[in-house]
């Protein structure tokens, strides 16, 4: 297959028209509308509405419902124009410490 090889280990779901979503800063200081183009268990491809200037995209929340009850914490994987790839972070995934204590797991 020519071009980029798919790096994700899980199956992607590609949406014909995209799913409206919102990105929000971890600290809640910014929000931006976006469209989820595809999604897998481990990440997604997003098209961002407007400029990404000044946004802290290294880590943010992807809000999948207007009430904010469905969301994923994301880290930036790649940027290509107005599209970005994100990896979903699992709860407690943050920075893996050598002596991490697991609470209730």
């Amino acid at each position: 297959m020519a071009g980029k090889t798919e790096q994700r280990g899980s199956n992607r779901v590609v949406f014909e028209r995209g799913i409206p979503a919102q990105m929000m800063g971890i600290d809640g200081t910014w929000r931006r509308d976006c469209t989820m183009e595809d999604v897998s268990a481990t990440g997604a491809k997003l098209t961002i509405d407007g400029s990404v200037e000044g946004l802290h995209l290294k880590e943010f929340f992807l809000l999948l419902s207007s009430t904010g009850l469905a969301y994923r914490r994301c880290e930036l994987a790649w940027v290509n124009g107005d599209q970005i790839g994100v990896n979903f972070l699992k709860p407690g995934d943050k920075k893996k410490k050598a002596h991490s204590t697991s609470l209730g797991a």
Side-chain angles (χ1 to χ4, degrees), residues 35-62:
T35 303
M36 187 165 53
E37 305 294 343
D38 70 41
V39 67
S40 73
T42 57
K45 178 167 74 173
L46 309 174
T47 299
I48 301 173
D49 295 355
S51 171
V52 297
E53 292 289 312
L55 299 184
H56 300 289
L57 290 178
K58 182 155 178 55
E59 210 173 295
F60 59 91
F61 289 113
L62 176 62

Side-chain angles (χ1 to χ4, degrees), residues 64-83:
L64 301 170
S65 71
S66 57
T67 59
L69 293 177
Y71 65 91
R72 287 287 179 269
R73 191 173 185 135
C74 301
E75 68 177 359
L76 184 65
W78 54 264
V79 179
N80 184 0
D82 65 348
Q83 291 196 326

